[in-house]
């Protein structure tokens, strides 16, 4: 089992935080990395959409939407009945685990491209589709706490937050431009791994900074933060096989099922469920699940898919 080179930057960032180094990416550079990665993923996927028929994309997209609806329904009872969390906190955290981490997806794509493994190029469409259903389900699960929520602000956050807007915008531009995206691909394509490395350097530092919160919450956080990704990854892999995806596509759908949002969903939950404990959700998704996926789950999923394919 071999880790991709960009994972080394995540480890370096974590070590820097643990030894209390002053290493830190400037805020502007970090935001630039986020914008770059979202646009690069969207452009590549959008450019590929024109080569696939609606008869292929529509059924698969509907299946992915159903998958995004199912994941928080799997996470919620674990948090509510086994973890004994409040309904509000369980629903908000379940929404994080029904949505996706674009950074985790980017690491998986980088690994596939490094190894020369093909996958369905329209996968960024699935990334965008998986952002919204889990948020809606999470709000419905916490419906008793919704009477004071600002539904207008929530609708705006669902459709216009940075992650969804840039990803969908990149897909739209790529689909419109088609082969003309070659003019910008030397920038968005060849620099992808380098920008991802810088992003993961900061992510490693941020994840390590939250380790103290993990120790304070006990064994349940650690158990859930590892078990839920494995459950979601197994469901995603099974769905990919049922849809007849390539080995690379099965792997990516397993990674999407395994990941947890720490950008789009926290922003939406702060509007819809402001009373929920946001710190515990972020700690779970960023300090436990994200490192687990990057360091363990992604290479294991790929090895498993390659073996069985």
């Amino acid at each position: 089992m071999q880790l991709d080179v960009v994972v080394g930057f995540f480890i370096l960032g974590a070590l820097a935080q643990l030894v209390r180094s002053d290493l830190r990416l400037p805020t502007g550079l970090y935001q630039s990395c986020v914008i770059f990665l979202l646009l690069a993923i969207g452009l590549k996927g959008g450019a590929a959409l024109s080569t696939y028929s609606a008869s292929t994309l529509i059924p698969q997209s509907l299946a992915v939407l159903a998958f995004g609806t199912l994941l928080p329904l799997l996470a919620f009872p674990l948090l509510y009945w086994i973890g004994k969390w409040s309904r509000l906190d369980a629903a908000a955290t379940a929404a994080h685990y029904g949505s996706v981490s674009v950074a985790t997806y980017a690491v998986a794509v980088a690994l596939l491209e490094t190894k020369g493994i093909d996958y369905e190029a329209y996968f960024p469409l699935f990334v965008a589709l998986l952002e919204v259903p889990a948020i809606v389900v999470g709000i419905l699960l916490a419906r008793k706490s919704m009477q004071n929520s600002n539904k207008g602000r929530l609708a705006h956050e669902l459709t216009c937050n940075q992650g969804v807007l840039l990803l969908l915008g990149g897909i739209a531009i790529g689909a419109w431009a088609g082969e003309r995206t070659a003019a910008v691909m030397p920038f968005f394509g060849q620099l992808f791994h380098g920008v991802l490395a810088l992003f993961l350097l900061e992510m490693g530092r941020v994840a390590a900074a939250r380790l103290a919160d993990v120790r304070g919450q006990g064994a349940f956080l650690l158990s859930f933060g590892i078990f839920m990704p494995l459950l979601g990854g197994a469901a995603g892999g099974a769905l990919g096989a049922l849809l007849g995806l390539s080995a690379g596509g099965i792997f990516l759908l397993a990674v999407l099922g395994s990941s947890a949002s720490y950008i789009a969903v926290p922003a939406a939950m702060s509007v819809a469920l402001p009373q929920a404990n946001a710190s515990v959700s972020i700690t779970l998704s960023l300090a436990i699940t994200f490192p687990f996926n990057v360091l363990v789950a992604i290479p294991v999923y790929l090895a498993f898919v390659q073996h069985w394919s």
Side-chain angles (χ1 to χ4, degrees), residues 139-140 142-151 154 272-273:
I139 294 169
L140 292 176
R143 58 190 177 277
K144 294 180 181 178
S145 305
M146 279 200 61
Q147 57 268 26
N148 295 323
S149 66
N150 187 324
K151 294 180 175 60
L154 175 62
L273 305 174

Side-chain angles (χ1 to χ4, degrees), residues 149-175:
S149 66
N150 187 324
K151 294 180 175 60
R153 283 185 61 203
L154 175 62
H156 182 270
E157 188 61 46
L158 282 172
T159 56
C160 298
N161 74 74
Q162 174 179 274
V164 172
L165 188 63
L166 287 172
L167 195 57
L168 288 177
I171 291 172
I173 293 171

Side-chain angles (χ1 to χ4, degrees), residues 9-226:
F9 290 83
F10 178 86
I11 296 172
L12 175 60
L15 289 175
Q17 176 64 31
L18 293 174
V19 300
R20 299 183 180 180
S21 167
D22 59 356
L23 175 66
R24 180 188 297 264
L25 240 63
T27 302
L29 179 57
Y30 170 77
Q31 286 296 326
S32 297
C33 289
V34 172
I35 292 171
F36 176 95
L37 292 172
L38 288 167
L39 282 176
I41 291 170
L43 279 170
K44 186 173 181 181
L49 282 178
S50 60
T51 64
Y52 293 89
S53 66
S55 62
T56 297
L57 289 176
I58 292 176
Q60 291 187 2
S61 296
L62 292 175
V64 167
L65 284 171
F67 180 53
T69 302
L70 172 66
L71 286 175
L73 296 176
L74 295 176
F76 178 78
L78 297 176
L79 295 165
Y80 186 59
W81 289 324
I82 298 178
K84 304 298 182 182
W85 287 19
S86 70
R87 185 179 190 88
L88 190 64
D89 289 343
T93 303
H96 287 68
Y97 279 82
S99 188
V100 295
S101 161
V102 174
T104 308
Y105 172 78
V107 173
V109 168
L111 180 60
L112 288 180
E113 293 180 350
T114 298
K115 292 183 173 294
I117 300 174
D118 293 330
Y119 61 94
E120 287 74 10
Y122 51 80
F123 248 86
L125 175 63
F126 295 166
V127 179
L129 290 175
L130 283 170
E131 288 282 11
V132 176
I135 298 174
V136 175
V137 172
I139 294 169
L140 292 176
L141 288 171
R143 58 190 177 277
K144 294 180 181 178
S145 305
M146 279 200 61
Q147 57 268 26
N148 295 323
S149 66
N150 187 324
K151 294 180 175 60
R153 283 185 61 203
L154 175 62
H156 182 270
E157 188 61 46
L158 282 172
T159 56
C160 298
N161 74 74
Q162 174 179 274
V164 172
L165 188 63
L166 287 172
L167 195 57
L168 288 177
I171 291 172
I173 293 171
W176 166 71
E179 294 181 355
R180 288 173 291 167
T181 56
V184 296
M185 276 308 167
F187 177 72
F188 284 105
Q190 295 177 16
L191 296 181
F192 183 83
H193 283 72
V195 174
L196 178 60
L198 286 176
F199 177 81
L200 288 178
L201 181 69
E202 179 66 6
M203 284 292 94
R205 186 194 68 78
V206 173
R210 289 191 169 270
L211 287 178
D213 297 333
V214 176
R215 290 195 295 268
Q217 291 290 333
F220 178 75
L221 280 183
L222 185 62
S223 301
F224 179 84
I226 292 174

